[in-house]
Amino acid sequence: SRTRRRSRRRGVRPRGAGRLGSWDTRSLNGIYSLRLTVQRGSSTEERVVPVTVDNAPPRARVDYPHPGEAVLVDPQGEREFGIQAEATDNGAIERAEIFVDGVSLGTTRVQPFNLPWKWAPGDHSAYAIAYDQAGNSSTSETVVFRVVVQRPR
């Protein structure tokens, strides 16, 4: 038939219902056009849809406290301070999760990514995990800092 001849010239075989095929996007990044042609009898419909492929993970880092910083706290003052992270991506960041001493403080979707932590004196470590809208994630480097209690004079 005419349909089969035309399809063979394009290197495409007609398909019935079900899965049309697959596309390995693991090594791709960027915007691509996906073309779908449907033929029913003598009628042909064609659609071109832009598809964004995002395999690049976001970048995350802890902004506060700084590596090696001694955070001075007043024992009579606030019992917590904010741990802040930053995240960037080639698309959009969905959320960040912040950890201190391996324990999650929670997840936030609002930049700057800042969550309260009930401090304890001594050495601590913090890191963040950033997630983009494509489902990619990355973990920041761990920041080691010290909480020092200021004694009243």
Side-chain angles (χ1 to χ4, degrees):
S1 82
R2 183 172 182 221
T3 303
R4 290 214 169 130
R5 269 184 267 129
R6 192 168 56 198
S7 294
R8 284 189 186 131
R9 276 186 284 167
R10 291 183 185 169
V12 177
R13 293 180 307 183
R15 297 268 186 177
R19 184 177 177 175
L20 298 175
S22 62
W23 180 26
D24 183 0
T25 62
R26 288 177 289 192
S27 64
L28 301 176
N29 275 303
I31 299 174
Y32 297 85
S33 293
L34 186 61
R35 180 185 312 266
L36 177 63
T37 304
V38 176
Q39 184 162 5
R40 291 191 180 117
S42 62
S43 170
T44 301
E45 248 185 87
E46 187 169 282
R47 296 278 190 260
V48 177
V49 179
V51 176
T52 301
V53 178
D54 179 0
N55 287 308
R59 301 184 87 194
R61 74 183 179 115
V62 174
D63 275 347
Y64 184 81
H66 304 289
E69 183 173 4
V71 179
L72 302 176
V73 295
D74 178 353
Q76 307 303 316
E78 295 290 321
R79 290 294 303 158
E80 59 186 33
F81 61 84
I83 306 294
Q84 186 163 312
E86 178 183 307
T88 57
D89 188 54
N90 64 337
I93 298 294
E94 182 179 300
R95 69 187 188 279
E97 186 173 9
I98 299 173
F99 295 80
V100 173
D101 298 331
V103 177
S104 175
L105 301 182
T107 300
T108 178
R109 296 175 187 276
V110 179
Q111 291 202 44
F113 302 114
N114 190 313
L115 292 171
W117 175 63
K118 292 184 183 193
W119 57 264
D123 291 335
H124 300 281
S125 61
Y127 66 92
I129 302 176
Y131 300 87
D132 68 14
Q133 288 185 336
N136 303 310
S137 65
S138 71
T139 302
S140 72
E141 291 186 22
T142 299
V143 170
V144 177
F145 63 97
R146 172 173 285 155
V147 173
V148 178
V149 177
Q150 288 184 312
R151 301 287 176 209
R153 293 181 182 194

